[in-house]
Amino acid sequence: IESLRRTLLDLFRAHGYQLVSPPMVEYVESLLTGSGRDLDLVTFKLVDQMSGRLLGVRADITPQVARIDAHILNRSGVTRLCYAGSVLHAMPGGTGRRRELVQIGAEIYGHGGIESDIEIQRLMLQALDLAHCGQLQLDLGHVGVFRALVEHGNVVPELELDLFQALQGKDLPALRELVAPLAQEVANALLALSELCGGADTLPEARRRLPDYPEIRGALSDLEQAAQALEHDAARCSFDLGELRGYHYHTGIVFAAYAKGHADAVGRGGRYDEIGRAFGRARPATGFTLDLRDIAAVGRNPQHRRAILAPHSNDSALREAMARLRAEGEIVIADLPGHERTRDEPAADRELRLVDGRWQVVPRTSPR
């Protein structure tokens, strides 16, 4: 997990993302401001013994990063941020899920175009590739389609929530009952959302079956551009227009990556342009998050980097050779005297040996 954390943070850094480290514990009103209100039920709470105020243990780092962008940095241009840290859930997200996740992710603030959506999706796929997660499927959706239907259909908030839950649960009988009072065009479109999922033919079918509202045209165009841009990124793209994950704070494209043989998503993300509104700056934003524990379990664990064993000596030339190799990224272990060497301790496949008056790396001989 630590090796993955370092590798992925280096990947983010190479793409210009700056690391931020929000606190694990904050006052509840800070943690649950804005989009964070959806996290209320999964946030552990405790009383601050000094002030008597209610504290919370963070359940998601994304709202904290949005506050950093809005207040601490307060930049006017594009800002790329990344993070890595533990989060705690009072209620696990599903059967067999853990309460503690090691969350890592990246966010782009200040750009509202499809280009930043594509950049963040591509970065997530690269991260999962570095984690050796194998063949990936990227599911793309867009909450703007459902929002447009709700708006044009003059759907009241209570019905909107019921429709949302029926679509998320793929409950077609309940959905048919809920859309009955609505205008035929909107009702038919909402029913179609539950069926508009699959491969490349999904978007042409959506254009045939959904109303020609400007918001829907734009959403389908964004999905098409994203899929075309990512076709060479080692992932198979599919679409699900009934996927409304994070509907209460997402505003555009949403996406999830799945690894072969695993039912749960290994990475999730989307656009959430309103996330900073509660902090006074509703900047465009898009990002993704991964659970390092999950992807470490899913990934094909690569062979650990082998080490070079060096004899214990005060020879200055040997110390220089060890320092040079470490600077080049090699693991060099000093073989401390006074213990019996075994075949698996230390885990070295090479050793430093004095050959013709020079310390050289050679294949390790069997322990004696």
Side-chain angles (χ1 to χ4, degrees):
I1 291 172
E2 173 59 15
S3 176
L4 269 178
R5 188 189 72 86
R6 293 185 183 196
T7 299
L8 299 190
L9 288 180
D10 282 346
L11 170 71
F12 301 161
R13 180 175 180 271
H15 284 76
Y17 290 75
Q18 295 178 285
L19 180 66
V20 294
S21 298
M24 172 68 79
V25 177
E26 295 193 64
Y27 290 117
V28 166
E29 58 265 30
S30 296
L31 281 179
L32 303 184
T33 296
S35 66
R37 292 188 185 279
D38 289 340
L39 302 173
D40 190 21
L41 291 178
V42 295
T43 299
F44 272 105
K45 303 177 181 70
L46 61 153
V47 175
D48 181 4
Q49 297 300 310
M50 295 179 64
S51 68
R53 295 170 63 189
L54 200 59
L55 291 167
V57 182
R58 68 185 180 197
D60 186 8
I61 299 178
T62 299
Q64 294 181 298
V65 179
R67 195 170 71 246
I68 289 173
D69 172 71
H71 285 308
I72 297 177
L73 298 179
N74 197 26
R75 296 170 182 166
S76 57
V78 173
T79 301
R80 291 175 171 86
L81 302 175
C82 62
Y83 58 85
S86 293
V87 299
L88 199 61
H89 289 179
M91 299 175 63
T95 305
R97 302 288 292 175
R98 292 178 294 270
R99 287 175 181 260
E100 183 182 1
L101 290 73
V102 184
Q103 199 176 57
I104 188 167
E107 325 252 334
I108 299 177
Y109 293 91
H111 188 276
I114 186 64
E115 297 83 3
S116 51
D117 290 289
I118 293 169
E119 177 180 325
I120 212 76
Q121 292 159 23
R122 181 171 286 138
L123 185 63
M124 183 186 73
L125 293 176
Q126 291 174 352
L128 293 170
D129 183 57
L130 284 176
H132 302 273
C133 287
Q135 182 63 42
L136 298 170
Q137 175 174 310
L138 185 67
D139 280 3
L140 297 168
H142 200 301
V143 300
V145 176
F146 179 72
R147 288 188 193 280
L149 293 174
V150 166
E151 181 179 344
H152 285 271
N154 296 314
V155 175
V156 296
E158 295 80 6
L159 179 56
E160 178 181 356
L161 179 59
D162 291 340
L163 289 168
F164 161 76
Q165 292 174 338
L167 277 170
Q168 282 298 90
K170 308 296 183 184
D171 188 345
L172 198 53
L175 189 60
R176 287 196 184 99
E177 184 177 338
L178 291 169
V179 302
L182 300 177
Q184 195 65 43
E185 181 181 61
V186 172
N188 290 340
L190 286 168
L191 288 171
L193 287 188
S194 64
E195 302 171 354
L196 289 171
C197 56
D201 58 345
T202 303
L203 297 185
E205 184 181 358
R207 290 188 172 96
R208 290 193 299 270
R209 298 182 64 180
L210 298 179
D212 189 29
Y213 301 151
E215 303 94 330
I216 293 180
R217 284 201 307 271
L220 297 179
S221 176
D222 284 350
L223 290 171
E224 188 172 50
Q225 287 185 65
Q228 289 175 351
L230 297 168
E231 63 182 350
H232 300 301
D233 284 83
R236 184 169 65 89
C237 284
S238 59
F239 305 93
D240 188 350
L241 297 187
E243 174 55 65
L244 301 175
R245 181 185 59 258
Y247 174 70
H248 298 297
Y249 63 92
H250 278 134
T251 59
I253 286 183
V254 293
F255 54 89
Y258 293 86
K260 186 177 181 180
H262 297 272
D264 290 335
V266 292
R268 299 181 184 276
R271 176 162 290 280
Y272 30 84
D273 288 349
E274 302 298 316
I275 192 168
R277 180 176 297 279
F279 310 121
R281 298 184 76 210
R283 300 225 295 161
T286 182
F288 70 86
T289 185
L290 314 171
D291 177 12
L292 280 175
R293 293 180 189 272
D294 274 353
I295 62 174
V298 169
R300 302 187 312 274
N301 294 324
Q303 189 72 23
H304 290 295
R305 180 189 286 183
R306 308 302 287 181
I308 300 169
L309 189 66
H312 185 269
S313 171
N314 289 322
D315 186 330
S316 60
L318 173 60
R319 293 199 304 273
E320 289 174 5
M322 293 168 67
R324 183 183 70 253
L325 288 165
R326 285 168 176 158
E328 293 171 357
E330 294 281 5
I331 299 171
V332 183
I333 301 172
D335 189 24
L336 297 174
H339 74 282
E340 183 181 354
R341 290 168 59 186
T342 63
R343 291 187 178 275
D344 57 354
E345 191 277 324
D349 61 342
R350 293 158 293 160
E351 61 185 354
L352 270 168
R353 194 186 305 162
L354 195 61
V355 180
D356 297 329
R358 294 176 57 242
W359 288 101
Q360 298 184 39
V361 177
V362 297
R364 184 185 174 193
T365 58
S366 298
R368 292 183 294 276

